[in-house]
Amino acid sequence: MGVLPVPAEVRAILLDIEGTTTPIAFVQETLFPYIKDNVKEYLRAHWEEEECQRDVGLLRKQAQEDSSLDGAVPIPLESGSGEEELERVIQAVVDNVHWQMSLDRKTTALKQLQGHMWRAAYATGHVKGEVFDDVVPAIRKWREAGMKVYIYSSGSVEAQKLLFGYSTEGDILELFDGHFDTKIGPKVESESYRRIAASIGCAPNNILFLTDVPREANAAEEADTHVAVVIRPGNAGLTDDEKSYYSLISSFTELFLPSST
């Protein structure tokens, strides 16, 4: 690691969040526990609202698709027979959410509910999005050099905007030109990176993708996207082969943009 020159054809930098812009510990020790600890209370408070019912409907549909999986938790329909039955349905939703989270599922249904819960937590100040100290100064420098900057995370676009809109650095959403989540495709499939390139109007090799996950780096590389793997405190270790194969950085300040000279 040290200085990593950015290829001259790169016009956009695509950033992962967890383990790249933001400590894994924030996601694992703050965001996810907040969902587990508060989902029942949130459902009780918002059950009659249209948004909450849409979220539950999506979770119920996902539960039906998951019915053949080991340990899957079904979510029954309400028959409108009182508080006791309502509590039973809410508990089923809670159990389903806990089950999905225990398996680190990335379903749209789960991510949507989480995003709405985090929105409430950020807005009330219960949660602030953490970013590494080097992130904001580096992105400002990249943008001054004419680089576009995008986010690609398995967390929903709404959850991404909440993290950066209510961050420890204040509202830093202005630093990003766009956001992508798994609606564009899974991060471990090369086609997703081709779709992102088409969406932002460039070729895949005009993009540099920064991630802490080698499987994602490999998928991006297969799409002809430039890649660097980010080493941060708390990230999973890399094999010797991965360390020797990938370009590695431990801080965004290690990227050297030819256009900024």
Side-chain angles (χ1 to χ4, degrees):
M1 290 181 284
V3 173
L4 178 65
V6 175
E9 71 254 33
V10 169
R11 298 286 176 267
I13 296 178
L14 184 65
L15 301 173
D16 171 46
I17 293 179
E18 185 181 351
T20 300
T21 66
T22 296
I24 282 180
F26 170 70
V27 178
Q28 301 295 345
E29 297 171 17
T30 300
L31 285 186
F32 287 155
Y34 180 85
I35 300 296
K36 288 179 180 175
D37 294 345
N38 292 279
V39 62
K40 182 180 281 189
E41 182 185 336
Y42 176 87
L43 290 168
R44 282 173 173 160
H46 299 277
W47 190 259
E48 300 298 329
E49 296 170 17
E50 186 179 333
E51 180 179 83
C52 186
Q53 283 301 306
R54 282 199 303 269
D55 292 346
V56 171
L58 264 186
L59 286 164
R60 186 177 282 119
K61 185 180 176 191
Q62 183 66 50
Q64 290 167 348
E65 292 173 13
D66 292 340
S67 60
S68 62
L69 298 181
D70 187 38
V73 180
I75 301 174
L77 287 164
E78 282 180 88
S79 62
S81 59
E83 283 294 316
E84 192 173 316
E85 198 226 11
L86 174 60
E87 196 61 28
R88 185 173 62 88
V89 175
I90 287 176
Q91 187 60 51
V93 177
V94 171
D95 292 344
N96 180 278
V97 167
H98 285 184
W99 172 73
Q100 289 202 60
M101 291 181 71
S102 73
L103 299 177
D104 196 26
R105 302 286 301 282
K106 310 287 188 187
T107 64
T108 298
L110 177 63
K111 294 297 177 185
Q112 182 167 299
L113 174 68
Q114 288 173 330
H116 292 151
M117 286 186 63
W118 287 325
R119 180 182 62 198
Y122 282 114
T124 55
H126 284 107
V127 173
K128 278 189 182 294
E130 290 183 33
V131 293
F132 288 108
D133 291 343
D134 57 277
V135 169
V136 171
I139 294 177
R140 291 196 194 283
K141 197 171 179 183
W142 300 342
R143 292 179 63 86
E144 286 167 10
M147 198 68 67
K148 299 282 191 182
V149 182
Y150 297 87
I151 295 290
Y152 181 29
S153 172
S154 57
S156 68
V157 166
E158 181 173 21
Q160 297 171 29
K161 289 181 175 179
L162 289 168
L163 192 155
F164 295 116
Y166 295 90
S167 86
T168 49
E169 302 289 326
D171 183 350
I172 55 172
L173 282 172
E174 64 178 14
L175 298 180
F176 306 108
D177 294 282
H179 298 257
F180 298 95
D181 58 20
T182 51
K183 286 180 181 174
I184 199 94
K187 295 176 75 182
V188 294
E189 292 184 6
S190 57
E191 187 57 34
S192 303
Y193 299 88
R194 296 187 187 99
R195 289 191 195 111
I196 287 172
S199 175
I200 64 181
C202 68
N205 71 348
N206 296 140
I207 297 172
L208 170 64
F209 178 47
L210 304 185
T211 179
D212 64 310
V213 181
R215 283 184 69 211
E216 296 174 3
N218 185 54
E221 207 172 48
E222 284 180 2
D224 202 26
T225 296
H226 295 283
V227 169
V229 173
V230 184
I231 311 294
R232 298 285 200 184
N235 287 7
L238 302 177
T239 66
D240 288 341
D241 286 346
E242 288 165 347
K243 287 176 185 173
S244 61
Y245 179 78
Y246 290 109
S247 298
L248 307 176
I249 61 170
S250 60
S251 167
F252 286 5
T253 59
E254 292 169 13
L255 290 184
F256 175 73
L257 273 57
S259 57
S260 63
T261 56

